[in-house]
Amino acid sequence: MKVAIIGAGYSGLTIAKELEENGQEVTIFEKNDYVGGMVDTVEICGTRLEKYYRHIFKSDREAIKLIKEMGLENELIWPATKMGYLTNKRAYLFGTPISLLKYKPLNLIQKLRFGFNVIHIKLINDYKKLEKVTAEKWLKDRIGDKVYSQVWEPLLISKFGEKKDQISMAWLWGKIKLRSTSSTPEGEQLGYIKGSYQRLTDRLYEYLVEKGVEIKLKTKIQSIEKLNEKYVIKYQNENEEKFDIVISTINYKDFVKIFDKFITEEEKKKLERVNYTSARTMMIVSDKSFSPFYWLNIGDNDIPFGGIIEHTNFIDKSNYDNNHILYISNYMTEDNKLYNASKEELLKEYMKFLTKINKEFTMENIKDYHVYDEKYAQPIIECNYSNYIMEDKLKNENIYLCTMPQIYPEDRGMNYAIRLGNKIANEVLEQIDKREKKNEN
Ligand SMILES: Cc1cc2nc3c(=O)[nH]c(=O)nc-3n(C[C@H](O)[C@H](O)[C@H](O)COP(=O)(O)OP(=O)(O)OC[C@H]3O[C@@H](n4cnc5c(N)ncnc54)[C@H](O)[C@@H]3O)c2cc1C
């Protein structure tokens, strides 16, 4: 069987690994000149560093398993991190029971309501009831408007912008469950590979090439034809190749354009119903630390970004020539005024607020900065998502899909890209097995 995979992110790389190990002939087509997709890194301060802040959780079993398989087990470290919450331009320690008790913006009753509600959410095992209602309604009914608008609403705004009131409670439930797996009394213990996740990507790439997987970089797929039960992929103008099975790991918006002729009306409706928010992430190299927190959630709605992630409060600054690395996280939709802002405009806008939060942090402290954009960064998970979640395979075709909106009720993440990749690869192997048995008979 010849299998084509479109996209060399962690989903595509995992599928290729599983299929190749089970005797299939695999070709990956990747539009970029590198593999790894969103787990991409750049050269900063003499080392590799992720374009987007990156960590894994203790419960990320599939990611940890892959790290072990690629021989990087001893390079995976689990530092404890501090989480903060910014309210009225003041940062408070957050995320542990003690820090909640000390959190001044809520009174005792509000703190108790918040704390018990989080415990309640963690104890819920079946998300099906939760997906019928928005996070906003479910939370307001239980903790009241004040606690909701003080704590949860800014977090939903930071991920979904103006779509925040459409988000299903099942999404937030998945997020809270996940984070609780890494909690310790000292803070969250998060996983990082010494020298960056680029090392994992490189090992995976070398492994696949050695096994015989063909990886065609700088090859953007724009259309696919079908001839005599084979899918014909044309690339780089002149070339074409035929495949028995195609697996797409790209976003639904582009998928619909490329695979239009193979999709039923019902499938199209499901695919088009899913929307995404985009990520515009600023990486700042500075000569000064901004705060004591790794992850500072922004609770003030007038601040135009969602979080300040100080990577060097997670991984020591000595790895970056003693510089401090900050990421300013921002998710938005196209109607946000900062969507098309230049990197300079973005910094100017952000600095108005950064200097208010930390008066000693000025433009002079910034040695370098970059902005990285991911258009389809976060699927928007609305109520009753299980009713319109896309199947893994197109009904009438040997075309599979393996991408973020199929991860549910958990949220997207490297671990889930790997888990879904393994699942899809196994479905493909089963189909091949059935076909072979049928041919034998
Ligand atoms: C800002 C940000 C921060 C994140 N932080 C974390 C984190 O800390 N921890 C964590 O676990 N996860 C994190 N994630 C999520 C994680 O990176 C993703 O869930 C995961 O990498 C998705 O992998 P994927 O293979 O499904 O998709 P992708 O990585 O997007 O791979 C898809 C690939 O398809 C290629 N492609 C697209 N169209 C075509 C085409 N027409 N032809 C050929 N190739 C094409 C793309 O170039 C890309 O390489 C973060 C994501 C973002 C945006």
Side-chain angles (χ1 to χ4, degrees), residues 5-14 28-40 50-57 60 63 159 175 178 190-191 197 216 218-223 248-251 254-255 258-259 277-281 294-295 309 314 327-331 372-379 402-405 407 411-418 420:
I5 299 171
I6 306 186
Y10 269 71
S11 300
L13 296 174
T14 309
I28 309 182
F29 296 92
E30 167 56 54
K31 69 175 179 183
N32 291 325
D33 60 359
Y34 56 87
V35 303
M38 290 187 207
V39 194
D40 190 26
E50 288 74 13
K51 284 179 175 170
Y52 310 114
Y53 43 88
R54 193 147 296 270
H55 54 252
I56 58 168
F57 296 95
D60 283 350
K159 251 312 164 52
K175 204 81 192 156
L178 174 68
L190 301 172
Y197 280 90
K216 291 188 190 297
K218 289 199 261 177
T219 310
K220 183 172 179 175
I221 302 306
Q222 273 155 326
S223 73
S248 165
T249 70
I250 68 175
N251 67 78
D254 291 337
F255 179 87
I258 299 171
F259 292 87
T277 50
S278 307
R280 300 208 74 193
T281 307
Y294 166 56
W295 196 283
I309 296 123
F314 174 35
Y327 292 99
I328 311 294
S329 158
N330 207 349
Y331 287 83
Y372 301 107
D373 291 314
E374 200 63 50
K375 188 165 167 58
Y376 301 108
Q378 170 74 50
C402 178
T403 177
M404 293 187 302
I407 296 161
D411 192 22
R412 45 129 238 214
M414 264 171 88
N415 180 67
Y416 298 100
I418 298 167
L420 188 64

Side-chain angles (χ1 to χ4, degrees), residues 228-243:
N228 303 328
E229 291 308 303
K230 302 266 182 200
Y231 298 100
V232 184
I233 298 191
K234 292 201 171 104
Y235 58 95
Q236 278 137 3
N237 301 329
E238 308 281 294
N239 304 310
E240 66 171 51
E241 234 176 296
K242 294 193 182 79
F243 295 90

Side-chain angles (χ1 to χ4, degrees), residues 85-92 103 105 150 299-300 302-303:
Y85 200 95
L86 188 98
T87 306
N88 298 328
K89 315 285 171 300
R90 232 194 106 179
Y92 298 86
Y103 181 68
Q150 186 87 52
D300 291 343
D302 60 325
I303 298 183

Side-chain angles (χ1 to χ4, degrees), residues 267-280:
E267 285 166 343
K268 197 167 181 172
K269 263 192 222 151
K270 284 187 181 178
L271 290 160
E272 286 180 341
R273 198 166 172 330
V274 177
N275 287 305
Y276 297 77
T277 50
S278 307
R280 300 208 74 193

